[in-house]
Amino acid sequence: MDSILVKGNGALNGVIPIAGAKNACLALMPATLLSEEPLTLTNAPRLSDIRTMTQLLQSLGVEVSALQDGKVITMSSHGTLDPRADYDIVRKMRASNLVLGPLLARLGHAVVSLPGGCAIGARPMDIHIDALTALGAEIELKDGYLHAKTQGGLKGAVHEMRFASVGATENFVMAATLAKGTSVLKNAAREPEIVDLVRCLRRMGAEIEGEGTPTITIEGVTALRGATHPVVTDRIELGTYMLVPAIAGGEVECLGGRIELVGAFCEKLDAAGISVSETERGIKVSRQNGRVKAVDVVTEPFPGFPTDLQAQMMALLCTAEGTSVLEEKIFENRFMHAPELMRMGARIEVHGGHATVTGVERLRGAPVMATDLRASVSLILAALAAEGETVVSRVYHLDRGYERVEEKLSACGAKIERIRAAG
Ligand code: EPZ
């Protein structure tokens, strides 16, 4: 397993290109199952999660080809499809469950492994099951697999989700595009990745209204065509790199960033004394002098503060002036970065869903371990401003969601290198 070595190196300045959104791409790729014609995605991120989704789609019978080192992905599911998504792939990545809705809509049946838990929580699928059942699917759990089928195809329905689940919204919307009649999803998730998925489905001929609001209406059609769609900018990678000058000092311009993708996050940076401005190329962030101010954070569904930026924000607040309280309301176990930050001298107390961070002048480098995707990058951020050397181990977590981290940070003056594991 590779590690990453970081040496604190003072203020960082430069330009960082932001890639296409992992969490949009992981929903867009299964949409190919809805049509016999090819679906091409451009601006796709080059990440291990995308390679995992590619493997899954190929195991179902989808032809996948990539150009430009993976930035352009063309998929075609015109052949015979195998509606079984095996545990050995699904357990590696929860987003594999996003093939359930499209397979049901296209084939009328699917067998998809439950993903199992992951580091940040149990990750149940009850909201997905309720939503697809509302469209007429019969779903039962057997041997760790969801066995789903429909008699005579999915039928449009009105359904209100108990919680604005991102994945369940995506499964419902994709399935409803080919259901008979009108579907209305209430308490729908509003994330930009949902908006991007709907824009792609519309290009494929779907009739959908209301994306980005709590109510999405879908008129079922008999078939969808192929399309070419650019993956939206990754707002989580954007927010992560906006924190580089905030934590280390200096000025960084994040190319492709737009304030509308990170509104609640920018409000917190502003309150912490960080200067954020939109340029014609992206977003410029700088902190020239003076310590960051402590701020409180509560994670919520979009447009609230994103849970996927909580760990990174905690890294910033470890050196803020004052005490900050972070409340994690989306996942039940998403503070595993805290003990690792404490190894670097951070002062953090975790009680259930609350973490209280008392800022210190400076963190000190130490050997630390990545536990999940966003925790891993929060440790890298902390290391950029820490005194001395930090070695972050198990960086396979990092490679799931961040392409070319060392390259992007080195370009801003960071002292960072990957230590390849022997063998
Ligand atoms: C998506 O996961 C993202 N993943 C996550 O990003 C993100 O943290 C999450 O949305 C919230 O924004 C992808 O898009 C691939 P949810 P998803 O369904 O769809 C509970 C990252 O770091 N829940 O909105 O799985 C669930 O356990 C990843 O890139 C149920 O109880 O999130 C969680 O506590 C991590 N039953 C909460 O809802 C269900 O049926 C939010 O889950 C579904 C979810």
Side-chain angles (χ1 to χ4, degrees):
M1 286 185 258
D2 293 358
S3 301
I4 284 187
L5 167 66
V6 180
K7 291 177 190 157
N9 192 34
L12 299 174
N13 299 278
V15 173
I16 298 181
I18 304 301
K22 167 180 84 81
N23 291 347
C25 200
L26 290 174
L28 290 163
M29 290 174 76
T32 189
L33 294 163
L34 294 168
S35 167
E36 295 200 355
E37 296 177 18
L39 173 61
T40 295
L41 300 176
T42 60
N43 193 38
R46 287 153 297 182
L47 302 166
S48 60
D49 268 10
I50 303 305
R51 292 190 289 276
T52 303
M53 181 58 83
T54 298
Q55 285 166 11
L56 173 62
L57 291 176
Q58 287 171 330
S59 75
L60 301 178
V62 177
E63 288 166 25
V64 185
S65 58
L67 295 171
Q68 294 176 31
D69 183 27
K71 273 197 90 164
V72 175
I73 302 173
T74 296
M75 299 159 285
S76 172
S77 54
H78 67 279
T80 311
L81 293 175
D82 169 1
R84 181 185 173 86
D86 271 347
Y87 177 58
D88 58 352
I89 296 184
V90 174
R91 69 179 169 75
K92 278 197 286 189
M93 186 183 64
R94 171 182 170 75
S96 307
N97 63 20
L98 295 174
V99 300
L100 181 56
L103 282 172
L104 261 177
R106 175 80 181 279
L107 301 179
H109 59 279
V111 179
V112 175
S113 170
L114 271 180
C118 71
I120 61 178
R123 313 294 295 269
M125 280 197 58
D126 60 299
I127 304 174
H128 295 249
I129 293 167
D130 291 349
L132 295 171
T133 302
L135 292 173
E138 294 161 32
I139 303 178
E140 62 167 334
L141 175 62
K142 248 176 2 192
D143 314 324
Y145 283 78
L146 292 177
H147 293 255
K149 62 179 188 297
T150 63
Q151 304 297 347
L154 297 172
K155 295 171 192 59
V158 178
H159 178 67
E160 179 159 0
M161 296 196 298
R162 71 173 176 82
F163 173 79
S165 158
V166 172
T169 300
E170 290 162 341
N171 256 328
F172 182 96
V173 167
M174 285 193 279
T177 58
L178 295 178
K180 292 185 188 64
T182 306
S183 298
V184 178
L185 183 62
K186 295 182 175 180
N187 195 25
R190 301 164 59 188
E191 274 68 7
E193 293 75 37
I194 308 264
V195 173
D196 201 43
L197 172 64
V198 170
R199 285 182 178 149
C200 177
L201 293 169
R202 203 174 277 137
R203 279 197 166 97
M204 295 170 71
E207 293 177 21
I208 308 176
E209 299 298 332
E211 69 277 12
T213 79
T215 303
I216 300 178
T217 302
I218 306 106
E219 290 299 335
V221 295
T222 50
L224 291 178
R225 55 179 181 266
T228 296
H229 177 79
V231 178
V232 69
T233 301
D234 192 321
R235 63 192 170 97
I236 306 303
E237 189 192 29
L238 169 61
T240 300
Y241 286 122
M242 287 171 68
L243 284 169
V244 168
I247 284 182
E251 181 171 280
V252 168
E253 185 176 17
C254 297
L255 301 185
R258 296 198 313 279
I259 296 273
E260 74 194 50
L261 293 171
V262 282
F265 175 71
C266 288
E267 283 168 22
K268 289 298 173 184
L269 287 191
D270 180 53
I274 308 297
S275 123
V276 177
S277 57
E278 204 162 60
T279 66
E280 70 279 3
R281 298 197 303 178
I283 295 181
K284 190 174 280 187
V285 182
S286 68
R287 177 170 69 84
Q288 299 311 340
N289 47 35
R291 279 174 70 183
V292 165
K293 298 182 186 63
V295 293
D296 294 341
V297 171
V298 180
T299 64
E300 293 170 312
F302 195 87
F305 190 100
T307 174
D308 293 347
L309 285 173
Q310 177 261 106
Q312 300 91 313
M313 191 69 184
M314 185 184 286
L316 174 70
L317 296 173
C318 285
T319 57
E321 201 163 13
T323 298
S324 309
V325 177
L326 294 97
E327 184 180 4
E328 173 53 63
K329 291 176 72 174
I330 304 294
F331 289 102
E332 64 265 33
N333 186 33
R334 203 170 196 178
F335 286 137
M336 285 170 299
H337 40 286
E340 300 304 312
L341 289 166
M342 289 160 76
R343 289 175 52 75
M344 299 174 72
R347 290 177 55 196
I348 306 169
E349 284 181 42
V350 173
H351 298 290
H354 290 82
T356 302
V357 180
T358 305
V360 296
E361 279 279 343
R362 194 148 189 228
L363 297 177
R364 293 182 305 282
V368 290
M369 185 176 75
T371 50
D372 60 86
L373 166 56
R374 306 305 174 181
S376 56
V377 82
S378 83
L379 299 174
I380 301 278
L381 289 172
L384 292 174
E387 199 174 317
E389 285 189 0
T390 300
V391 177
V392 182
S393 60
R394 301 192 179 188
V395 291
Y396 59 86
H397 290 292
L398 191 68
D399 297 333
R400 291 189 53 188
Y402 291 90
E403 65 173 49
R404 300 178 298 124
V405 179
E406 306 95 280
E407 194 181 309
K408 293 187 177 186
L409 290 175
S410 304
C412 296
K415 285 199 177 313
I416 179 170
E417 62 181 289
R418 183 173 289 253
I419 305 164
R420 296 271 176 215

